[in-house]
């Protein structure tokens, strides 16, 4: 049986290979599994973040305003409930409890995503179980640090800017410029966090060009899809009217599944580009 001829156009061939990879690698099933782990991760992590915000007295309102820029209102309201409830009564014990489960469940989610990345690169199962667990733990720590840095940029930044303007004679235009640059900086933090995950999933060192395109595309696609889905939920879907209180859960599950699929397809894009370069070299 002859294989179907690939399109001659490089762009169309890439789209064909991406669709083929989506079906062969069962990306839909992998996305559902990753979304399941993310769902179990999000609530303990919110408890940890809420306790941390309460102990450090960070600006919760600033974080919620930033989240409303690209997330559906139902999800932001759910986050606000957790942040407000736990942050109002900060407890070191609650912080430790949230931290423990915020390591376990993200490790499961990271393990699932790493296996999907390895599938995209045609690497197969991890060679060493112990090394794989250590890599997963390392990335979980990096993820927590990245999120803590992001929260700091979104919340503490306002207070520091106001203090610097009032007491350190920082020019107002410089404070306004930094306020606008915070979100690009947050995007850069997210880029390197995702880049590190794609790189850590490999058995050895990959060239930069085999990792950065999918990382950038996944991050850009995730932000765009989150914004479009938020607009869709606000203006067209109205899940709360159709499903009542369970509408928030439906919105959350769909958003998590979209996010998981975007992260996996970023790795698949890298695999597709590697195949295209290999075909070009063989021609």
């Amino acid at each position: 049986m002859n294989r179907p001829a690939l399109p001659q156009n490089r762009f169309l061939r890439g789209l064909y290979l991406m669709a083929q990879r989506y079906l062969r690698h069962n990306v839909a099933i992998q996305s559902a599994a990753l979304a399941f782990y993310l769902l179990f991760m999000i609530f303990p992590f919110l408890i940890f973040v809420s306790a941390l915000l309460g102990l450090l007295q960070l600006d919760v309102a600033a974080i919620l305003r930033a989240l409303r820029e690209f997330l559906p209102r139902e999800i932001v309201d759910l986050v606000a409930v957790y942040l407000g409830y736990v942050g109002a009564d900060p407890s070191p014990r609650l912080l430790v409890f949230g931290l423990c489960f915020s390591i376990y469940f993200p490790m499961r989610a990271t393990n699932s995503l790493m296996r999907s990345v390895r599938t995209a690169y045609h690497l197969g199962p991890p060679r060493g179980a112990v090394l794989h667990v250590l890599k997963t733990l390392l990335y979980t720590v990096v993820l927590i640090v990245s999120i803590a840095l992001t929260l700091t940029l979104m919340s503490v930044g306002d207070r520091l800017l106001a203090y610097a303007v009032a007491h350190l004679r920082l020019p107002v235009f410089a404070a306004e410029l930094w306020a606008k640059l915070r979100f690009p900086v947050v995007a850069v933090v997210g880029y390197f966090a995702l880049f590190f995950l794609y790189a850590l999933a490999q058995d050895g060192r990959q060239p930069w060009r085999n990792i950065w395109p999918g990382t950038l595309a996944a991050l850009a696609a995730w932000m765009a899809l989150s914004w479009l889905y938020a607009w869709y939920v606000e203006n067209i879907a109205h899940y709360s009217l159709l499903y009542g209180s369970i509408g928030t859960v439906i919105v959350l599950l769909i958003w998590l599944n979209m996010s998981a699929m975007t992260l996996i397809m970023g790795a698949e894009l890298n695999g597709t580009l590697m195949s295209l370069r290999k075909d070009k070299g063989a021609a």
Side-chain angles (χ1 to χ4, degrees), residues 19 33 42 50 69 84 94 117-119 126 135 145 155 162 187-188 191 204 211 235 250 266 273:
I42 192 170
S50 302
E69 295 292 330
L94 194 60
V117 172
R118 294 182 62 86
T119 300
K135 286 183 176 181
V145 172
S155 58
V188 171
Y191 169 83
I211 299 179
N235 298 278
I250 294 175
L273 295 177

Side-chain angles (χ1 to χ4, degrees), residues 102-118:
S102 294
I103 291 177
Y104 174 76
F105 287 111
M107 281 188 64
R108 299 299 300 270
T110 300
N111 180 64
S112 176
L113 182 54
M114 277 188 172
R115 290 181 181 274
S116 299
V117 172
R118 294 182 62 86

Side-chain angles (χ1 to χ4, degrees), residues 137-168:
L137 179 60
L138 175 62
Y139 183 77
T140 302
V141 174
V142 171
L143 180 63
I144 293 176
V145 172
S146 300
I147 294 177
L149 179 60
T150 301
L151 293 176
T152 302
L153 290 173
M154 289 192 300
S155 58
V156 178
D158 290 331
R159 297 185 180 183
L160 288 180
L161 289 175
Y163 180 85
V165 170
H167 301 280
L168 302 179

Side-chain angles (χ1 to χ4, degrees), residues 67-267:
L67 293 178
R68 287 192 179 94
E69 295 292 330
F70 58 92
L71 292 185
R73 178 177 55 83
E74 286 82 354
I75 296 178
V76 178
D77 292 341
L78 181 64
V79 173
V81 170
Y82 269 82
L83 294 183
Y85 176 76
V86 184
D89 186 21
S91 170
R93 293 182 180 179
L94 194 60
L95 180 66
V96 174
F97 168 82
L99 178 60
C100 292
F101 283 93
S102 294
I103 291 177
Y104 174 76
F105 287 111
M107 281 188 64
R108 299 299 300 270
T110 300
N111 180 64
S112 176
L113 182 54
M114 277 188 172
R115 290 181 181 274
S116 299
V117 172
R118 294 182 62 86
T119 300
Y121 282 85
H122 294 159
L123 295 177
R127 295 178 180 175
V130 176
L131 179 61
H132 182 71
V133 172
L134 291 177
K135 286 183 176 181
T136 305
L137 179 60
L138 175 62
Y139 183 77
T140 302
V141 174
V142 171
L143 180 63
I144 293 176
V145 172
S146 300
I147 294 177
L149 179 60
T150 301
L151 293 176
T152 302
L153 290 173
M154 289 192 300
S155 58
V156 178
D158 290 331
R159 297 185 180 183
L160 288 180
L161 289 175
Y163 180 85
V165 170
H167 301 280
L168 302 179
R169 297 183 179 181
L170 179 70
V172 177
F173 78 90
E176 293 176 350
L177 179 63
W178 170 245
K180 294 178 181 179
L181 289 177
R182 279 184 302 166
F183 295 103
V185 171
V186 168
V188 171
V189 172
Y191 169 83
F192 280 105
L194 185 57
F195 182 94
F196 186 60
L197 183 139
Y198 286 171
L200 203 62
Q202 313 295 323
D203 289 328
R205 294 185 62 180
Q206 284 278 0
W208 181 276
R209 65 176 184 171
N210 289 347
I211 299 179
W212 78 262
T215 305
L216 185 60
L219 182 62
W222 178 78
M223 295 182 67
L225 286 175
S226 296
W227 184 85
L228 288 173
Y229 184 58
W231 180 87
Y232 171 76
V233 170
E234 291 287 338
N235 298 278
I236 299 178
H238 301 296
Y239 288 107
S240 59
L241 296 178
L242 294 174
Y243 301 103
S245 58
I246 200 176
T248 301
V249 179
I250 294 175
V251 171
L252 178 62
L253 289 175
I254 294 177
W255 177 72
L256 288 176
N257 189 72
M258 289 172 48
S259 301
M261 187 174 298
T262 302
L263 297 177
I264 294 174
M265 289 306 294

